[in-house]
Every structure is written in C-alpha cells, then in structure tokens.
Amino acid sequence: MAENRAVLNEGDENEMEIFGYKTERWRKVLCLLGYIFSIGFLKLLFYWKPELDVWSHCIPCSLAEADTVLLQTTGEFKDYTKKSVIQVNLHRTTKTGYPIISDENSNVCKSIVEPEGQVRYVQVQKIRYIWIPSESKFMKSGVLEEGLSCSNIHSKYGFGLTKEEQKVRQQICGLNTITVKIIPVWRLLSKEVLNPFYVFQAYSLCIWIATTYIEYSLAILFMTTMSICATVYNLRKQSVKLHKMTASYNSILVSVLHKNGELEEVKSQSLVPGDVIVLVGNKLYLPCDAILISGACTVNEAMLTGESIPVSKIPLPNINNSIPWMAHSGDDYKKHVLYCGTEVVQTKRNSQDIVKAVVLQTGFNTAKGDLVRAILYNKPMNVKLHREAIRFLMVLVAFSLLGVMYTAVVHKMNGASVHDIILMSFLMLTVGVNAALPASLTLCLLYGQIRLKKHGIFCISPQKINLAGQLNLACFDKTGTLTEDILDLYGVLPCEKRCFQDMIFCTSSNNLCWCLLLQAMTSCHSLIKLDGKLQGDPLDLKMFDGTGWELEDYKAKIKEEGPPNICTMVKPGPTAAKAPIEGILILHQFPFSSSLQRMTVITQVIAESNMTVFMKGAPEMVVRFCKPETVPNSFSKKLDYYTVQGFRVIGLAYRSMQKGLPMSSDIEREEVECDLTFLGLLILENRLKPETNSVLQELSEANIRVVMITGDNLQTAVTVGKKSGMLPSNSNIIMLDACEPEKDLPASLTWKSLTESQANGNHSKTKLHTNESHINVGGGWINNPTVLGNFHFALTGKSYQVLTQHFSNLLPKILLNGTIFARMTPKQKSSLIEELQKLDYFVGMCGDGANDCGALKMSHVGISLSELEASVASPFTSKITNIECVPVLIKEGRNTLASSFSIFKFLTMFQLIGIVCIIFLFWKQTFLGNYQYLMQDLAINITIALTMSLNCPASKLATYRPSGHLLSPALLLSIFMHLTFTVIIQSTIFFLLQQQPWYNETDVFSACLPLNQSTENITVREHRHAENFLTTTMFSTTGFHLIIVEIVFAKGRPFRQPLYTNYLLSILIIIQVAVYLFFMFADIDSLYTIMELVCTPYYWRVNILIMVLVLFIVSYVAEVWFIDNRDLWLWIKRMLHYKSKSQYRKMQRRIQKDPEWPPQNRIDYAMQSDPVENCGIVPNIAKESGQTIVTVM
C-alpha cells in the first residue's frame, strides 16, 4: 500500500502528522447502532476523542485515496483532529490540456488532476493544503513557491497574471480574506456544555436530585448556569472583537496589473499569489504579503513589532541565478517584503517604473493571518503541569472508586435495597472531583491579569503568568531597555590621511562645517517626513538633528530619458553652518539591517553630475568595506577607548561614483559597498535608565540570573554591564573570540581574561592580559543556583555562530556563565534563547524593538516595552518603558502560581474531608442534611474559590522559586498529612461519640433534657434521616476542619502578601467561624429543625471545640514548620543525596570538578583532519565530550 502518512509544515512551529483513512459503510452502521444503545454516550466519546471516531468509522489507506484524514500534533501535547478531504472540479473556459497556469512547476499547476480538472484539499486551522499527486503529499496553497529565484519572480510574475489564470488560482487557493466568523451562541453553548467537566456536573446533578438534595442541586445548577453563561458571553465578545479586527482587511480596493498591461481596481479578496499589485498614494493598508519588485516605499510595521518606526523597503533585485530569492537575500530578506496589515506611509517611483509588488501570500498564510491564527489556536502551555493535574485527578477518581466499593459492601451488609445500594454508590462517585476546581484556577489567572493591568502590563496569554513565576534567567536588550532610548550626540571624530583628528563636540551652538562627514550625517539615514514631522529611528533622528539641516521631498531626474522621480532632499536649515550647495538628493537606500549591521545610501549634490555613496553602521563592519590604506592604525584602540566608557559608536565611510546609475531595481549592495574611504566615528552617549541598577540588583538578590543580548559593540555592552551591576566589580570577565576556519587553520577560540585595576583614585581601566599563565579566580563559587563561579563570559554574535558550528559541545558550558552577548542578529538572539532553554532554564526576554520579536516569542515569557496596549510580538506588553516591569511580572507570576497550588490543595482536601466523613456516615447508613451540605459548599467551597487568589504578590522577591510541580514531594506530603489528620479526628470523634451515655440512634432529642425528665412526658416528632447525633457532630467537625485548611493553605509568605491583607477572605473566615459557633451553641429549635441538627450536651460541644483547636495548632505548625521549611527540605535532600535533574545543574556539578575551567588566555582549535602542526607550535590535544579540541597556550 502507498504511504498513508505524511508531515505537514515540517520543521515549523505548527508541525503535524497526517494519516489517510477511507470510510467503510458497515462500520458507520455499527457506530450508529452504538449511538442508540449507549444513549448518545458513544457519540459524546467520539466528540472528545476524534481519533476513536476515525478508527471506528474508517480503515487506513494511502493519502491519495483517502476521504478522511487524521491529524496529530508532533509536540509534547499530542492532539488529534479529524478532517474530511474535499474534492473540487475547476471551472475553466479554456480547453482541456491547454496550460492555464503559466508556471508548470508551481504547486497550483501540479495539484490539478487532468483531464478531469479536479483538485483535492484539506482545510486545517484556516489553512488550505492541496494534494500534489506527483509528490504524494499535501502542501500549502495561498503561497508563492519558496524555490523561486529573483529572476523567476521578475520574469514569471513581474508582468501579472492572465484573468483566466487568476480565476483558476482563486478556486484552488481560496479567497484572500482573514475571516473570523462570529460564532453563534448555540454553538458556543453546546461546545461548553459538552465539556467533560460539565457532563460530569450533569451526572452529579442527576444523582443529587435522585437522593432528594433538591436545594443543593438547584444551587449548583444556578452557579453552573451562571458560569456557562459568563463563559459564553466572554467567548462571544472575543469572537465579535476578533471579527471586527479582521473585517477591515477583507474589503480593500487595490490596483491589479494583468498580463495584457491592463490595470484594474478590484477588491482585495480576489487577490491570489502571483498577482501584481500597484501601490499608489500613501496611507494604504496592505491586504496581503507581497514582494516589492519596483519602486520603494516606507511602511509602519507597528502591528507586527509593536514599534511604531517607519521601515524602508527596497525592490527585489532582478539577478539571473537559480538561488531561491529568500536564500539570496539571507537574513535580510524582509527588506523586500511588505506584510499584510502594515501601513504603507510613503511610496517612491524609480524612473518609469510604477511601484509594483508580487503577491507572496494570501489569507491566513500572511503575517497578519498568522497572528490571528495564533489567537484562535493557542498552543497548550505548561504541558507537564497539565499532565500532572490529570494524574492527580485520576488518583482522586480512584479514591472515589474505592469509596464506591466500600459503599456497596456496607449497604449490602446493612440489608439495604438494590436501589439504595446503586444510588449511594453513584453518589459516592460524585465526591471525587471538586466542581469548583476549573473555575477557581481560571479566576486565579484572571485576578493576576487584572493586577498586572493596574501596573501597566498587558497580557494576551494568561497561561504564561504562571510560567513567569518559574523564571530563573532574565535576558535584556540594551538600547532602549537597560539604557535610554534617546541617544545624545556627544561628538564626531573625523579621520583624515589615515589619522584621527581632534574630537568635534556637538552642541546646539556648534554645528559642523561643510565636509564629507557632514554630508554623511545629513544623508545616510532612513528618515521620512510625515504630516510635517520627521519620523524614523531615534539614532537617525538624533544624528540628523545635530546637523541643523532640513528634509523635504524633491522631484529629480535620475535618468535623462525618464520622468522625474520623487526622492528625499536634505538642505541646510536656518541654524546650520553655511554650505556652498542647494541640497543633497538621496537617490537610493539600502536600509539598515540588524543582520548586516549597516546601511548605505547613494546621494547626489544638486547641480552636480557625480554621485556619492555613504555607509553608516557598526565600526567593525564599516571598516571591512573600506580601503585598508584609509583606516587609521589606531582604529581599534580609539574604538575601545570610547566603547569601554559606554558610548555608542557608529562608523562612517564614503566613495565617489561616476555619473551613470543603473536601474534602481538592479542595484546590488556589492556593487556600491566596496572600496570605501573611512570618514570617522560618530560618538553617541547612551545613559543607563535610572531604574536599571536597582532592578538588576533585585533580580540578582533573588538568584535570578541576568544576561544582556544586544546588537551593540562588545566593549560598550561590557561597560554597560559593569555600570549596571550585571558584571560585579570583583568578577573575572573572559572575552571569547571565535574565528571561522581559514586555509590550513581550523576554527579557533581565543579566551582573553579581563581584570579590573584601580590606579591613583581614577576610574577603573580595563587591562587585557595576553600572558600564558592562568589567572586564579579568587571569588570562588558564589551562592547562586543559576550561575557557576565568579566569572563571566562575553562574546559577539560572530563568535556565538562559530561556537554553534565548530564548538557545539563547548557551547553549553559557556552558556552557563555567558552574560554579555553583543553584535547579535535577531536570528542569533532567538537561537541563544533556545539554547538556554535546552539547559532547562526558564528564560524571560525583555526588549523594546523589532529586532527582539523572535527572541520575545521564543522565550518562556516575553515582555515588550511598548506604548501600545497589547503588542503582538510578545505575550506581555508593558507601558512601563523600563525594566521595572520584569520583577513586577515575576512577583505576580510567583503569586499566581503559589495561589493556584494553594487552591488546588484546598479543593482537594475539601473533597477528601467529605469522602472520609461520608465513609463514617455510611457505616451508620446516614448522611448530612441538604442545608448542611449547602453550608459547606456555598459558604466555604465557593467563597474560597472566589477569594483565595485575591492576595497581592509579596513586596520582595524570595531567593527561590515556588515549585512548578504539582506532584512534588512537599505538596503530596502536605495533602497526605492533612488527610491523616482528617482520619484521626473524625475516627476519634466517631468512636468517642458512641461511648457517650446519652448517645442513641433512635432517640435523638433527649440528650439536652434535664436528668429527671424523659421524652415519655413530652411530645416528640419523628426525626428525619439526617437528624442524629453523628451528623450533627460531623457537621461541626468537618465545617471547622474546612476552615482550618482554608486558613493554613491561604498563608502568604514568601510569594504572597499575608492572609490578613486579603480583607475579603479574612472577613469571610471570621463570618464562617462565627456562623459555625452560632450553630454549635445556639440551641434554637426552629433553626436546628431547618438545618436538621439535634441538641448535644454542652460538655460535648466544648470537647469538639477543644479538639478542633488542637487540630488547628497541629495543622498550622505542621504546614509552616515542616512542609514550608525550606532548610529542612534542603537537609533532607542532602541526607538522601538528591541531585537536581536540570541540565544546567548537572553541567555545573561536572564543571566544579574540572580544575582547568574556565580557560584563560589561551587559544583552542577545533580538530580537523590536518591540525595546526603547520603553525610551528606543539598543541595540547584534549577531548571535550566527544569533540576534539587543540589547545595552544
């Protein structure tokens, strides 16, 4: 049989396995009979478990023959989905066999089965996957093929599609809409009601009504109905909100260019991949993802990044090669892509070309659609905790099943009828799971979300609040996060004749005179003027403001034979120094890219024929493109001088071009970014935010490791790390410099040790030691669970990349103490976060820019510093534009996690106390009265569910995290211990009660009568089933016991505020105690009659109260002094030789035994077939976890 399995979205985040099945008629008939005989339960089971539905109705077959497919997620949480295979017949006007699709290699063309003209597809999570017979797999429709080269896109799609091809593509790919339909109330209601929890609730209600618990059943029914209505209302509200958010992108009018040259205005929903759209005017919201092929434009990508800074887009070059266009562009491919939902704020034509873009992706395949799908189909969070919760609930169910067996045996021994035995057994089964558990845990997250909102932190993924409480490593971007977003222009360091000149300090009264350096500062940027105001990157704004020049649009002829183009012109302003020109035209831009670490512009002085290229970027990157004879010998020394003081340093360079500029769309960076002349350095001051030091100190004191991941210079980052306290003054800093293999030399890794020296009271200066001796680490091992030793590694993105490729086994050891990561590209930032997670760190990332989006999404908890209320870049968005939001979020995360566990423990004990009580009552064939149960369930159970998680977080971060394991020894021991106390006190009271002289199972009204009076002289009514001494005693005992565990589990420290700060819960506890004391000592006949209580002697009530007080003291002392005694647990772990199973802990233990770690002032080489003998040195060869390394001292 052909392959019946395939993988969808292989390697992607939403990777799924797909299995083919064919429906069998006889199986359908058998299932139908099963529905009837099981009274619909089998159908309900299939609804919960779609895999059982498929396996019951179908037989496996090849995907080519399948009419049904079963999809399974490949992640840790295995989730199944059933989908039908849809077959459509294409409506075509051309003859069969005539090639409708111009590109025969496209998936659209391959999906058509000739001569029938049929296409098969499945719709999964809003994405259509079409069947490709020639490749025997399903592939995404609605996207342009990734294998297309730059020339393919220009030649095959650059002139548009025919109308016939567009119609066929539309039938195969579907409409270009991001439609989220408003879900009908009946569907939301049925989905909610069919939830397993509510089905169990329905079962419980039926049993309670059958046992005449009418009042309690009605109360639960009312609360359940209100809960369902509230949930349905919120879901409906979200559905309407999401529908409105997406509807605006489905009816945009766009201009489409057809192959015959016709320009037609159509609705955006008719767009298909391969269409050519023409961008005219400004303020246009893009309805699809598209590749810019001619002209240039500026877009606002705040919808994607949360950063409202204009981004320049340039056309895809028409390069004649076979390399896929995305691979050709590398990490910088986004500069050619216009994303759906972003706003085009400005367009610029080049020569005669109009601004054109080829549609790349449509519908839910787009960037906007991806975000909407992320909201619709949330990935399950904290899978391990979820599984532990299921296991724990199964244990409770098993406990209930034992209770069912006990109930059946006891009632049979006492001669109960079969009806009563079955009814009581079913009743015991309802006690297993607390009905308030799901709602309570949901409320806990909701309260946490509300508290965060009060602090200006908005959350779009509440499940991640608990994860925030587990963080033990926090990563920070530098600029705009640790340091001020706004840079101050400190000065300019010109370079002439290969020598640096004196610093020119930039002040409001000291503008630069006319020179090439001034030209570079005025033109090498991506600023635009929008609504009369300059907008762009803060660095560009500060640099341009320092010149005193102005910016405006200008019409200029780039080609003599062509029409004038609108381009940007800069000219001297009123405050600028005099210049002998009218202005400078910025003819073409290669926008700044974090991965390339530079930007370049082509400019022309008005009225001059020659052109000038200016480059701006990281100094180390800029000098690579400069002629060596123009770079000063003291370049590295000067760069270190300023970066070590924490300045942000930018390199500037230029070259002259003769007249004659090729077509803008054909310009390659390599053509202009060569043979540059070094101009000098731009020095900007980047001050620390005032809150940075205190926050980092707070995190450090809480044993939360802090790491800097920045795109800035390494020395600058190290200096900021020292100033901020991230790198302690007494620590040893080891700089790592890894190099790619060169000629006969393999990849190398240099370890350079930095030490601090203090001289003559001056500020500390950094000295680089290159001697061969090892420097002893005097600080020893510090008491930090996440950092090993008093040393820190600092390295660049280039070195990190080499480490991942050539020193992969050494990388985890370096990450244990890696603190500064500089010159990191966005891709490298995401990779670093992933590598840290592999070491079992719980990683948080805090950043403010588009460059951090990947890292924010990759981390366990991403916090975006943005003024927007909710950034799609990360689950958390803070209006606090500094890192103070990080400890606030961690505190709340710990509070919410601790509250969740406290609620879980209380609701579990609530059920266990009830089960033990029922076991004793069933022994005497009785049970609590309706109103007694109402008291426990409404006055205690429900009120606790609503109020226990109202505690605010502790004001100070503890030095350790709350346990993230539901099945941790401490939690299980706590429940077992309190269960033991329950059994002891209830069994004690059960047996003591029966030994009292006044105890009688039939005469229940004589215990409080005087000694000389008997019930024979008074009229006594017939007592009800629940009116007896045992139920009255058990009601008081279990009620007080529930209040005790409520107080014990609601304690605050160290992760929450104390119990008394939760005013509502404190008041409710006082009321509960008062009410139970009132019931205990009231002696009001009418009240006792309603509550089905009987009077007992005062001494017995006092005895119960004394036992309850003893129980409270024992429970509280045991919980606080034993269960919550961290020192005791650490001692137990030491006695049992318990070792943490976290990867970073295991590695720390191994490294502690290595006397040569960390290496200092040496060079390591990755071993190749021909090692470094040719260098004339004798290497020391060592093996590092299976990887051979050559060490040169």
Side-chain angles (χ1 to χ4, degrees), residues 1-5 20-21 60-67 120 131:
M1 187 179 69
E3 186 68 42
N4 84 314
R5 173 194 169 277
Y21 289 88
C61 70
S62 67
L63 287 168
E65 300 171 338
D67 57 19
R120 300 169 69 240
W131 175 250

Side-chain angles (χ1 to χ4, degrees), residues 34 220 222 228 331 361 386 389 413 436 474 511 543 548 644 675 729 761 844 956 972-974 985 987 1031 1086 1089 1165:
I220 293 297
F222 174 75
I228 291 174
D331 293 337
Q361 297 179 136
H386 174 80
M413 289 171 57
N511 288 324
M543 178 184 72
V644 83
D675 296 329
S729 57
K956 184 180 179 181
L972 293 176
L973 184 60
S974 175
I985 190 169
S987 59
T1031 56
S1086 57
T1089 302
Y1165 292 89

Side-chain angles (χ1 to χ4, degrees), residues 529-592:
K529 204 165 191 176
L530 196 62
D531 299 328
K533 186 180 178 182
L534 279 180
Q535 290 193 7
D537 188 271
L539 187 149
D540 288 347
L541 284 169
K542 185 59 67 173
M543 178 184 72
F544 188 73
D545 286 344
T547 65
W549 282 44
E550 295 177 343
L551 180 145
E552 62 181 42
D553 289 334
Y554 185 86
K555 285 190 177 181
K557 278 194 176 184
I558 296 179
K559 292 282 185 181
E560 290 182 2
E561 67 277 9
N565 279 23
I566 297 176
C567 57
T568 302
M569 182 188 78
V570 290
K571 63 179 184 180
T575 61
K578 289 184 179 180
I581 62 164
E582 181 187 346
I584 301 173
L585 301 177
I586 303 173
L587 303 178
H588 189 75
Q589 288 183 0
F590 295 100
F592 176 78

Side-chain angles (χ1 to χ4, degrees), residues 486-493 503-508 510-512 517-518 521-522 538-548 616 647-650 652 681-687:
I486 300 174
L487 301 167
D488 292 323
L489 191 58
Y490 183 76
V492 180
L493 193 65
M503 168 75 75
I504 301 173
F505 295 96
C506 295
T507 62
S508 57
N510 183 23
N511 288 324
L512 275 174
L517 202 56
L518 177 65
M521 291 175 64
T522 57
L539 187 149
D540 288 347
L541 284 169
K542 185 59 67 173
M543 178 184 72
F544 188 73
D545 286 344
T547 65
K616 176 192 72 178
F647 287 108
R648 178 86 179 268
V649 183
I650 304 295
L652 298 168
L681 299 174
L682 186 68
I683 315 295
L684 298 108
E685 195 171 9
N686 199 191
R687 297 188 181 93

Side-chain angles (χ1 to χ4, degrees), residues 382 385 444-445 447-449 451-452 455 457 459 461-471 704 861 863 876 885-901 951-954 957 960-964 1054-1056:
N382 222 347
L385 190 63
C444 188
L445 291 176
Y447 290 153
Q449 199 172 357
R451 283 190 292 266
L452 287 174
H455 287 285
I457 302 172
C459 174
S461 182
Q463 298 89 347
K464 285 207 169 187
I465 297 176
N466 280 339
L467 276 180
Q470 286 283 282
L471 294 185
I704 296 172
V861 176
I863 314 163
F876 297 96
C885 60
V886 176
V888 170
L889 177 59
I890 295 175
K891 288 172 187 174
E892 185 53 60
R894 291 182 173 186
N895 174 37
T896 305
L897 185 61
S899 298
S900 299
F901 279 31
N951 291 52
C952 291
L957 279 171
Y960 57 96
R961 303 172 292 160
S963 172
F1055 307 113
R1056 307 196 298 160

Side-chain angles (χ1 to χ4, degrees), residues 211 403-428 918-927 1025:
T211 52
V404 169
M405 295 169 61
Y406 165 82
T407 302
V409 171
V410 168
H411 279 74
K412 180 67 177 175
M413 289 171 57
N414 289 320
S417 65
V418 175
H419 173 271
D420 287 345
I421 292 173
I422 294 173
L423 195 60
M424 290 300 105
S425 297
F426 282 166
L427 179 63
M428 175 61 83
I918 288 175
I919 287 172
F920 284 114
L921 293 176
F922 277 7
W923 186 263
K924 292 295 183 179
Q925 286 195 296
T926 185
F927 42 79
H1025 190 73

Side-chain angles (χ1 to χ4, degrees), residues 732-738 748-754 768-775 791-795 803 807 810-811 813-815 817 1156-1165 1184 1189-1193:
N732 183 20
I733 302 166
I734 302 171
M735 310 274 274
L736 303 182
D737 184 18
S748 64
L749 176 60
T750 305
W751 313 73
K752 300 175 184 177
S753 178
L754 294 172
L768 186 62
H769 289 261
T770 56
N771 58 353
E772 297 179 2
S773 63
H774 288 272
I775 297 173
F791 60 91
H792 300 265
F793 294 123
L795 60 152
L803 284 171
F807 298 90
L810 202 58
L811 180 64
K813 295 174 70 174
I814 291 170
L815 293 183
N817 285 71
E1156 295 187 1
W1157 188 265
Q1160 297 174 69
N1161 311 304
R1162 79 181 196 196
I1163 303 174
D1164 290 342
Y1165 292 89
E1184 177 64 42
I1189 295 173
V1190 181
T1191 301
V1192 180
M1193 302 300 293

Side-chain angles (χ1 to χ4, degrees), residues 929 931-932 935 1035 1079 1086-1093:
Y931 290 107
Q932 294 170 12
M935 271 292 296
F1035 168 68
F1079 281 136
S1086 57
L1087 178 65
Y1088 277 21
T1089 302
I1090 293 171
M1091 293 299 299
E1092 298 184 68
L1093 299 172

